[in-house]
Amino acid sequence: MTKKVLLLPGDGIGPEIAAEARKVLNVVNDQFGLGLELDEALVGGAAIDAAGKALPEDTWAKCQAADAILLGAVGGPKWDNLPPAERPEKGGLLKIRSGLDLFGNLRPAILSPQLADASSLKPEVVSGLDILIVRELTGGIYFGEPRGIRTKENGVREGYNTYVYDEEEIRRIGRVAFEAAMKRGKRLCSVDKANVLEVTMLWREVMEDLAKEYPEVELSHMYVDNAAMQLVRAPKQFDVMVTGNMFGDILSDAAAMLTGSIGMLPSASLDVNGKGMYEPCHGSAPDIAGQGIANPLAMIVSAAMMLRHSLGMEEAAVKIEQAVDAVLDQGLRTADIWSEGTRKVSTAEMGDAVVAALQV
Ligand code: IPM
Ligand code: MG
């Protein structure tokens, strides 16, 4: 049985890291006889340049037909002056997320022991770190209406967005988080701003309600400002965190950095049936695009996550993760995670090293 995997390289460093993930997928495909059929399509700025819009029909059709999607990153200064709805982010990435109803975003922040020195925090604060951030991805202020920029009667312009969640949206992301907590340390911290925002007062209420169905999970609540502080003060206190779209966007970048580099972290965005899109947590990094220095590991471990969560190919996923571990053990580092005494390698050299480690 074949499985259709759609590769969406996107913009900036996207194509560079996607090329390395493709090498890795081709190898495990052969090794394990996975029957993966890899296809590729344009999205984001690359699609705007080639086809006039960030999510061309052809790409969208392939997204719908795919069993799983692996995306690099989208966006860049070249397209920043387009109207918001046409930009790579809103016109491409967010359209796929919401069009496929990929509401459940899993962002693990795990510190590889080899990289304890690369973290900006003291090794004892981060060593052994293993957090899972569950971010709601298709609602909240990212999608709330009304939204826009308007001119008031006095001629002054104002920008406005709407932060809205209904209880069903909260419950379904809550369920994802409670289920994840059950498979881990059974501790869930729900992050909100319930001291100010009504929408998150409801959020808190629904989480409390859900907790009754998961008596084994210890649920706590934290305001988002405190959560940001606690993440950099004592991150190991967390097991699973669940939060809305925007807070999750911010906290997951902070959590990623605890692990040494945002260039290491994968993410999964899943619908109710587990179909998903997988992407590194980092962005398109236009400042280093085209230089061959980007870290492809987040993309490569995103591919592993895809094999595990959407395609049921656990063995191949583990093999890729072990290969990544092996190259870190060998002391190979891209510039973002390089430190004295390790060997600096390019994007392609890192990808090739993972491929070599798969073959031993
Ligand atoms: C992320 C990114 C996106 C987001 C951008 C590129 C729209 O920052 O996946 O975290 O804000 O969700
Ligand atoms: Mg982000």
Side-chain angles (χ1 to χ4, degrees), residues 97 107 135 142 245-246 248-250 252-253 262 281-283:
R97 287 177 179 171
R107 299 195 160 188
R135 168 189 177 194
Y142 270 51
N245 207 341
M246 185 169 66
D249 179 44
I250 299 165
S252 62
D253 265 29
I262 197 169
C281 284
H282 61 68

Side-chain angles (χ1 to χ4, degrees), residues 218-284:
E218 183 194 313
L219 174 70
S220 61
H221 304 277
M222 200 178 270
Y223 298 139
V224 63
D225 49 349
N226 187 24
M229 180 177 78
Q230 296 300 333
L231 265 179
V232 292
R233 192 188 72 86
K236 282 191 272 182
Q237 69 185 281
F238 297 110
D239 176 23
V240 180
M241 302 174 92
V242 62
T243 190
N245 207 341
M246 185 169 66
F247 296 163
D249 179 44
I250 299 165
L251 294 180
S252 62
D253 265 29
M257 206 56 217
L258 300 174
T259 69
S261 169
I262 197 169
M264 295 297 298
L265 295 188
S267 76
S269 309
L270 306 172
D271 74 3
V272 273
N273 303 313
K275 170 168 171 172
M277 176 158 75
Y278 296 77
E279 33 174 330
C281 284
H282 61 68
S284 58

